[in-house]
Amino acid sequence: MLGGAGDESRFLVEFALSPSSVLKIQKGDITQWFIDGSSDAIVNAANERMLGGGGVDGAIHRAAGLELKEACYEVPEVQPGVRCPTGEARITLGFKLPASHVIHTVGPIYDADSDPESSLRNAHRNSLRVAKENNIQYIAFPAISCGVYRYPHEEAATIAISTVKEFGIDLKEVHFVLFSDDIYDIWVKKANELVGK
Ligand code: AR6
C-alpha cells in the first residue's frame, strides 16, 4: 500500500473478496487515506443537502478546502434542498485531499427511515456503482450512519460488509477506515463471519 490512514499494522486486517479484489479494514482518519491520488476515492457520509455538516462530513470538507463545497453546490438539486437523496451517491473531485475523489452518499437516519436496511445497503451499493462508472479502483468507506444517524453498529456492519462482498469485486481494493476502536472491532468480527480469512 502506498498511502494509508495510519501505520499501526495491528489495526489493519485483509480479506480476499475475489482473486483480484481485497477488502481491508483499518482504524484511522479517512481524510488522510489515499492509494495513488488518481484512481482512489473516499466515501463521505453526507446529508441530502450535500453542503457539509458535522462528523466525518465536516472533517472531509475541512480537509478538502472550500473548493469541495463549491463543487457540491454545482451538483443539481433533484428537489429543493436535496442534491443526493438517501441511498444515492454523487461524485466530486477531492481537491486538497490526498485521495483524488469524494463519493458523497447519504445513509438513513435510523429512527426516521421506513426501511433503514435497504437505505444503508443502497448507500453502499450506489457508492460502489458510481466508483466503477468513474474508473475508481480503490475506495474507502467510513461507518455510514453510525454517528449522528444512530444506526446500530452490528447491523450496520453486517449490511456494509455483505454489500461490499457482493458488489465490490470489480474494484481492486475496498477499505473501511474506522475512527473508533469499538466500531473497528465490530467490523473485523463481522468480516470474519461474512468473508472469512
Ligand atoms: N475518519 C473516519 N471516520 C470518522 C471520521 C474520520 N475523520 N470522523 C468521524 N468518523 P457521522 P452519519 C466516524 O456522524 O451517522 C453529518 O453531520 C464517526 O465516528 O459522521 O452518517 C452529515 O452532514 C462515525 O463512526 O455520519 C450528516 O448530517 C462515522 O464516521 C450526518 O452527520 C459516521 O458518523 C450523517 O450522519
Side-chain angles (χ1 to χ4, degrees):
M1 189 166 73
L2 298 174
D7 56 6
E8 296 175 82
S9 56
R10 68 201 164 95
F11 288 124
L12 169 64
V13 293
E14 295 188 26
F15 303 83
L17 291 173
S18 76
S20 58
S21 182
V22 180
L23 167 65
K24 297 189 182 189
I25 301 174
Q26 61 197 284
K27 253 199 74 186
D29 175 357
I30 204 167
T31 67
Q32 312 271 304
W33 180 92
F34 72 104
I35 298 290
D36 62 5
S38 60
S39 64
D40 46 6
I42 62 170
V43 178
N44 183 16
N47 55 53
E48 291 187 333
R49 272 168 59 81
M50 249 188 80
L51 297 177
V56 71
D57 191 8
I60 288 170
H61 274 270
R62 277 194 298 280
L66 275 178
E67 285 167 294
L68 179 60
K69 195 162 180 183
E70 285 162 16
C72 288
Y73 266 116
E74 305 275 303
V75 173
E77 289 183 333
V78 293
Q79 48 178 284
V82 177
R83 289 180 180 76
C84 184
T86 299
E88 295 191 15
R90 303 286 187 267
I91 192 166
T92 65
L93 293 175
F95 302 101
K96 292 196 173 71
L97 291 165
S100 62
H101 291 80
V102 180
I103 295 173
H104 307 260
T105 192
V106 182
I109 301 171
Y110 186 72
D111 297 327
D113 197 293
S114 60
D115 185 359
E117 180 173 345
S118 295
S119 296
L120 191 60
R121 194 172 294 286
N122 287 341
H124 288 84
R125 187 174 175 175
N126 283 321
S127 296
L128 293 166
R129 182 179 54 74
V130 167
K132 281 180 233 166
E133 287 169 0
N134 287 274
N135 299 314
I136 300 296
Q137 315 250 36
Y138 308 93
I139 191 169
F141 287 91
I144 295 165
S145 287
C146 287
V148 298
Y149 283 0
R150 299 175 62 85
Y151 210 106
H153 296 167
E154 294 239 354
E155 285 172 48
T158 300
I159 293 161
I161 292 163
S162 62
T163 306
V164 161
K165 183 183 174 188
E166 192 173 357
F167 298 105
I169 53 174
D170 301 333
L171 277 72
K172 285 189 182 157
E173 295 182 11
V174 180
H175 294 225
F176 286 100
V177 179
L178 305 166
F179 217 43
S180 69
D181 285 358
D182 58 331
I183 290 184
Y184 172 82
D185 289 344
I186 290 168
W187 248 253
V188 171
K189 188 182 89 173
K190 285 291 172 198
N192 273 306
E193 286 171 22
L194 297 169
V195 188
K197 284 272 184 193

